[in-house]
Amino acid sequence: MPEGHSVHRIARQFRRNFVGHRLEVTSPQGRFAEGASLLTGTVLLEAWAVGKQMFLGFEGERWLRVHLGIYGAWDFSGEIHADATLASANGRMGQTNQHGTVLDSADSDVVLDVDGENSLASIGAPRKTRVRMAEAENVSAVDSASVFPPEPRGQVRVRLLSETACADLRGPTACEVLTREQVDAVLLRLGPDPQHDPSDVSGQRFVDTIRTKKTAIGLLLMDQSVVAGIGNVYRAEILFRAGIDPYRPGNFVTVDEAWALWRDWVYLLAIGVETGQMMTIDGLEGAAWKRAMARRIHRHWVYKREGLPCRNCGTHIRLDEMANRKLYWCPSCQT
């Protein structure tokens, strides 16, 4: 499932390329036809995210709420430019041409992830997952278009089209038009997100919440009402970096530990938004840094490393199941 950093990158892409434009909104698949009819022909005024939810505000006080879920992703084509803040730490300039092909800078340090995690032309569910879904439809959902606007391919729930840019949404868990009051109701159910509100007020809310719960901290970090945006990868990595047993009840996490978890989430989320990658190992340089930028296995401490020796102590990384989700952790470092 796409985690918070991806959704914030999508929102920034919309701000850079679609906000201020009058959009044609359609539902090639047909499942969002009624919602599209409410939005088409209006100007997109704002785009932002909280956790894994993105909100696009249109004229007429109508909002498009999108939750990508496990399979959802946005594909962009046309003249797509990255926000200046998205010029990532690996040197990528993030501009695509009329066919949606990524044009990287001439910087020799540009490193693209092999699974497309730091793509700007397609953001959301992992590429391999989306290819498997597309195969069931007998169509490639990740191919670049040869003309603009491209013909809709696969099950496109909603298409947003300006004179120069196109965004296609496939496979979301939620895609609906809301009023401002309904948006506020959704936000009330979500925990703090440091990209949306980085203040100590948000941090204190997080600390106070987990310290009143008897639930395991490994479950609390995945609860979007406790903290918004953390998924399986960030959960495993943040707990390892803090040296906290994922089964420890929240009310047994100290105040200092809780604040350390929050501040590390602020730090790691910012890196993810900037680079497009969930980079959780600090201090990598040279060949080690390029290897980590290219392949996920080299940029995480414990995630997807079950049975392998811990990078820190040598103990084999353990894989458990917690609430039907895979949990990766080191039983020696996280005591």
Side-chain angles (χ1 to χ4, degrees):
M1 179 180 293
E3 302 196 26
H5 73 295
S6 293
V7 185
H8 281 290
R9 284 174 65 86
I10 294 168
R12 288 188 177 191
Q13 191 125 308
F14 272 104
R15 286 198 295 272
R16 176 65 176 84
N17 295 281
F18 294 87
V19 165
H21 294 269
R22 192 171 302 278
L23 303 181
E24 177 185 337
V25 183
T26 58
S27 179
Q29 177 195 59
R31 289 180 58 185
F32 188 66
E34 184 176 349
S37 68
L38 296 174
L39 302 176
T40 193
T42 62
V43 175
L44 181 63
L45 301 177
E46 54 185 299
W48 43 272
V50 176
K52 300 177 183 180
Q53 315 245 6
M54 187 180 72
F55 301 87
L56 300 178
F58 288 81
E59 284 180 320
E61 286 293 309
R62 292 191 175 105
W63 295 79
L64 175 62
R65 179 182 80 92
V66 173
H67 189 307
L68 293 177
I70 296 176
Y71 298 111
W74 286 95
D75 290 331
F76 296 94
S77 58
E79 295 179 0
I80 301 296
H81 303 274
D83 188 288
T85 56
L86 289 183
S88 71
N90 69 357
R92 185 175 185 176
M93 299 306 292
Q95 180 176 331
T96 62
N97 68 6
Q98 286 282 359
H99 305 304
T101 303
V102 174
L103 299 176
D104 300 311
S105 73
D107 192 324
S108 61
D109 287 335
V110 170
V111 182
L112 299 182
D113 174 67
V114 295
D115 292 321
E117 188 173 327
N118 60 345
S119 170
L120 286 169
S122 182
I123 309 175
R127 177 174 291 260
K128 291 180 180 178
T129 300
R130 298 184 58 225
V131 168
R132 287 198 301 270
M133 183 177 68
E135 287 172 350
E137 304 169 358
N138 295 317
V139 63
S140 170
V142 294
D143 286 345
S144 296
S146 57
V147 297
F148 180 83
E151 286 294 319
R153 308 191 67 178
Q155 297 297 307
V156 177
R157 183 76 57 86
V158 59
R159 164 171 283 195
L160 303 179
L161 181 66
S162 73
E163 293 182 354
T164 58
C166 179
D168 284 344
L169 173 66
R170 296 179 178 85
T173 293
C175 177
E176 60 179 347
V177 178
L178 302 179
T179 64
R180 181 68 225 199
E181 291 75 18
Q182 291 171 320
V183 169
D184 290 340
V186 173
L187 296 179
L188 284 175
R189 299 195 296 267
L190 297 176
D193 176 340
Q195 283 284 311
H196 185 68
D197 180 4
S199 71
D200 283 348
V201 173
S202 290
Q204 191 66 59
R205 178 183 168 196
F206 167 79
V207 170
D208 291 344
T209 299
I210 66 171
R211 294 218 352 107
T212 60
K213 303 285 188 180
K214 296 181 180 179
T215 306
I217 187 63
L219 289 174
L220 290 174
L221 291 185
M222 296 280 280
D223 185 340
Q224 299 302 297
S225 69
V226 173
V227 57
I230 294 178
N232 225 21
V233 181
Y234 279 126
R235 184 261 302 269
E237 295 296 298
I238 288 173
L239 287 174
F240 177 85
R241 288 164 62 95
I244 295 177
D245 186 325
Y247 293 96
R248 192 196 303 180
N251 59 349
F252 278 81
V253 174
T254 69
V255 172
D256 287 345
E257 287 174 326
W259 271 107
L261 288 172
W262 172 256
R263 289 175 179 133
D264 204 35
W265 175 225
V266 173
Y267 169 69
L268 292 177
L269 179 58
I271 292 174
V273 172
E274 181 185 10
T275 67
Q277 298 174 345
M278 291 179 276
M279 178 72 76
T280 56
I281 297 180
D282 297 327
L284 297 178
E285 297 180 353
W289 176 82
K290 290 185 177 181
R291 186 168 61 248
M293 292 298 291
R295 294 184 178 276
R296 181 171 60 189
I297 190 65
H298 300 302
R299 56 179 173 263
H300 298 321
W301 288 101
V302 293
Y303 183 73
K304 290 283 189 179
R305 300 194 71 251
E306 69 273 20
L308 297 175
C310 173
R311 300 183 191 276
N312 185 51
C313 72
T315 302
H316 286 178
I317 298 301
R318 181 168 154 180
L319 171 61
D320 293 348
E321 187 173 288
M322 179 178 277
N324 299 316
R325 297 294 301 274
K326 291 181 179 180
L327 171 69
Y328 303 86
W329 66 295
C330 174
S332 178
C333 293
Q334 295 174 253
T335 56

